[in-house]
Amino acid sequence: MDSGPAPDGASRNDDVNHSCISMTYITGVGLTSYGKHEGLTSLDLMSKAAELAIADAGLKRGEIDGILCGYSTVSPHIMLATVFAEHFGIRPAYAHAVQVGGATGLAMTMLAHHLAEAGVVKHVLVVGGENRLTGQSRDASILALAQVGHPDYEVPLGPTIPAYYGLVASRYMHEYGVTEADLAEFAVLMRKHALTHPGAQFHEPITVADVLASKPVASPMKLLDCCPVSDGGAAFIVSREPTNAARVKVRGCAQAHTHQHVTAAPALSELGAEISIAKAKQAAGVAISDVRYAAVYDSFTITLAMLLEDLGLAKRGEAAARVRAGYFSRGGEMPLNTHGGLLSYGHCGVGGAMAHLVETHLQMTGRAGNRQVGDASLALLHGDGGVLSSHVSMFLERL
Amino acid sequence: MAKPADWTTGVEAILYQSCASCGKPQYFRRGFCASCGATGLAEKRASGKGTVYATSIVMRAATPETRAHVPYNIVLVDTEEGFRMMAHGVNDLAIGDRVSARFTEFAGRLVPYFEKLI
């Protein structure tokens, strides 16, 4: 936030030259539709998104001097960034992959921010994409993802990702009195938002009753409490200097990693989201009351409910009441995931949560069309990887 | 490290490690204490008694072998010895239930299976 005029001779706390807070910009974004992209590979989807982001930034391929990419469960490779660079036809000065599950997109953005800030590179392409839906069976997806569990002490028990989050949900509901009908509200909200985005995977409206009646997957998670498996790609450019009229600045960010396996997770009140948001607020010099738009990881309804409360966007056990009151709706006080989130725009792996940042950028630059919110001048983004294991919180500010 | 003689290797036992230096129990086996870094941990056999911390009944499994067991209850249990573990349990277990472990076969493996203590 603007800290107002500084006294003569004093530097403002958001001064460009300030040693702690410096400038990098998200200069371009690119996003494919999510759902089925029959016949396209992970590299194809990454390329599509990268091309859109580079064009959006008004850059040429040759001006990209850094590449950060995620991973593909369909086409695993020990050097995906250079595989992609060769495929895409650029020779960056800096390139590697980053892997922190669902938090990968924001972790890459944070790294790109620091690389640009340090002068290592001028324009970093951050890209993720995967043909996760059509490139492998749904069983293969579920099985691959369950491997985030402990190989000796968890995986032999046959848990799935919905079961890991089902465990967390059962405890959260027990401690804070949250109900399945409360959780269903988040699925309904994300679907409502997806209805207005042509790129979203789902375009049929759903009700709380539909969510409650949907097929049980791993209690208390039912099918409509879970994000889908999708094909898709997302990309953005993080630059040291603006390249166009967009002035979306990375204001501050932080991470926290408390555990990998749900068996080793700390108590609900000590999870990483609370640690990372506290550090990010300090790094950015902002308060939650300054935030005008929220983009929060929503792999399951419970994930979104917990994170909103961990981040301070709702009191404990009260996020669902805020959904019902319209607080997180497009016209509400804190518009949330206006593209439909992972739950209804779709989830293609690393690209999944990157769509949240793309949508945030469109909102901040007034380009969200029929989804445009009134004021998205300061946004809070949060990503979660594993089973609430890895967290990245980030504030973006429109200058 | 030699392989543990516990359910992860097909033996009907739940083992854990206890740190002589800081006293912390640890379930995921390794050559040092993850809390303080000390080596020379004592290997102990757990009583199999504990309290249910969380539950999730799996209805949609990912392999033919596990699908044959659906629905099965994945539980997190806080053991009497002070560590948390994942296991299977009776389908109607509730958070806070006092439980005791026996062992059962699941998808070709031996797994701990918790039942309510009466």
Side-chain angles (χ1 to χ4, degrees), chain A residues 185-250:
Chain A
E185 292 286 352
F186 296 91
V188 172
L189 177 69
M190 289 302 101
R191 183 59 60 88
K192 198 173 142 200
H193 287 177
L195 297 179
T196 58
H197 197 309
Q201 187 159 347
F202 297 113
H203 289 112
E204 309 76 34
I206 56 172
T207 64
V208 166
D210 292 334
V211 180
L212 292 175
S214 64
K215 219 166 69 179
V217 174
S219 67
M221 297 290 101
K222 297 161 294 298
L223 188 65
L224 292 175
D225 286 298
C226 309
C227 66
V229 176
S230 321
D231 298 334
F236 25 86
I237 313 294
V238 179
S239 303
R240 200 171 158 74
E241 303 289 344
T243 60
N244 51 27
R247 292 286 184 280
V248 175
K249 175 190 148 185
V250 178

Side-chain angles (χ1 to χ4, degrees), chain A residues 196 293 329-332 335 338 359-377 398:
Chain A
T196 58
Y293 180 88
S329 298
R330 184 164 56 84
T338 49
E359 176 74 359
T360 303
H361 193 272
L362 294 177
Q363 291 287 4
M364 296 183 87
T365 51
R367 300 185 293 162
N370 61 346
R371 305 185 308 282
Q372 186 63 47
V373 303
D375 173 13
S377 55
R398 189 191 61 227

Side-chain angles (χ1 to χ4, degrees), chain A residues 139 157-158 170-171 217 219, chain B residues 53 56-57 59 67 72 88:
Chain A
D139 277 352
L157 297 161
S170 75
R171 187 72 201 184
V217 174
S219 67
Chain B
Y53 177 78
S56 180
I57 297 179
M59 304 292 285
R67 212 167 283 142
Y72 54 90
H88 281 200

Side-chain angles (χ1 to χ4, degrees), chain A residues 48-363:
Chain A
K48 270 178 178 277
E51 205 159 312
L52 291 168
I54 293 169
D56 190 42
L59 294 169
K60 295 187 178 64
R61 284 180 186 216
E63 291 177 274
I64 299 297
D65 55 357
I67 290 185
L68 293 172
C69 73
Y71 51 86
S72 164
T73 60
V74 174
S75 314
H77 196 286
I78 60 168
M79 294 177 68
L80 188 58
T82 35
V83 168
F84 173 75
E86 177 193 284
H87 178 82
F88 196 59
I90 53 181
R91 297 179 169 185
Y94 187 99
H96 58 78
V98 172
Q99 302 197 177
V100 275
T104 304
L106 284 184
M108 293 194 289
T109 311
M110 179 170 176
L111 177 56
H113 161 66
H114 288 310
L115 286 168
E117 183 184 46
V120 176
V121 285
K122 283 193 179 124
H123 303 290
V124 187
L125 167 65
V126 175
V127 59
E130 187 170 343
N131 53 334
R132 189 171 277 190
L133 177 56
T134 59
Q136 64 190 0
S137 71
R138 196 171 268 108
D139 277 352
S141 278
I142 294 170
L143 199 57
L145 297 173
Q147 306 305 311
V148 302
H150 194 290
D152 299 325
Y153 293 98
E154 294 179 350
V155 173
L157 297 161
T160 54
I161 291 271
Y164 296 135
Y165 276 89
L167 287 168
V168 174
S170 75
R171 187 72 201 184
Y172 201 79
M173 291 163 75
H174 175 78
E175 287 194 24
Y176 298 110
V178 172
T179 66
E180 292 189 42
D182 287 340
L183 295 180
E185 292 286 352
F186 296 91
V188 172
L189 177 69
M190 289 302 101
R191 183 59 60 88
K192 198 173 142 200
H193 287 177
L195 297 179
T196 58
H197 197 309
Q201 187 159 347
F202 297 113
H203 289 112
E204 309 76 34
I206 56 172
T207 64
V208 166
D210 292 334
V211 180
L212 292 175
S214 64
K215 219 166 69 179
V217 174
S219 67
M221 297 290 101
K222 297 161 294 298
L223 188 65
L224 292 175
D225 286 298
C226 309
C227 66
V229 176
S230 321
D231 298 334
F236 25 86
I237 313 294
V238 179
S239 303
R240 200 171 158 74
E241 303 289 344
T243 60
N244 51 27
R247 292 286 184 280
V248 175
K249 175 190 148 185
V250 178
R251 170 84 196 215
C253 41
Q255 302 186 11
H257 308 266
T258 52
H259 64 281
Q260 172 62 29
H261 307 109
V262 67
T263 302
L268 291 177
S269 57
E270 298 163 5
L271 285 169
E274 295 192 54
I275 304 168
S276 69
I277 188 67
K279 284 158 59 184
K281 282 193 285 190
Q282 197 173 22
V286 299
I288 292 299
S289 56
D290 298 325
V291 176
R292 295 291 174 267
Y293 180 88
V296 179
Y297 198 77
D298 59 323
S299 52
F300 297 94
T301 52
I302 182 63
T303 323
L304 186 54
M306 283 181 71
L307 290 175
L308 288 171
E309 294 171 11
D310 285 348
L311 296 171
L313 292 169
K315 288 191 186 133
R316 283 286 169 216
E318 294 182 8
R322 286 204 148 175
V323 174
R324 288 188 190 100
Y327 186 81
F328 296 116
S329 298
R330 184 164 56 84
E333 282 173 73
M334 186 66 68
L336 170 74
N337 303 349
T338 49
H339 64 306
L342 298 166
L343 285 167
S344 277
Y345 191 85
H347 194 354
C348 60
V350 171
M354 290 173 65
H356 292 61
L357 191 147
V358 170
E359 176 74 359
T360 303
H361 193 272
L362 294 177
Q363 291 287 4

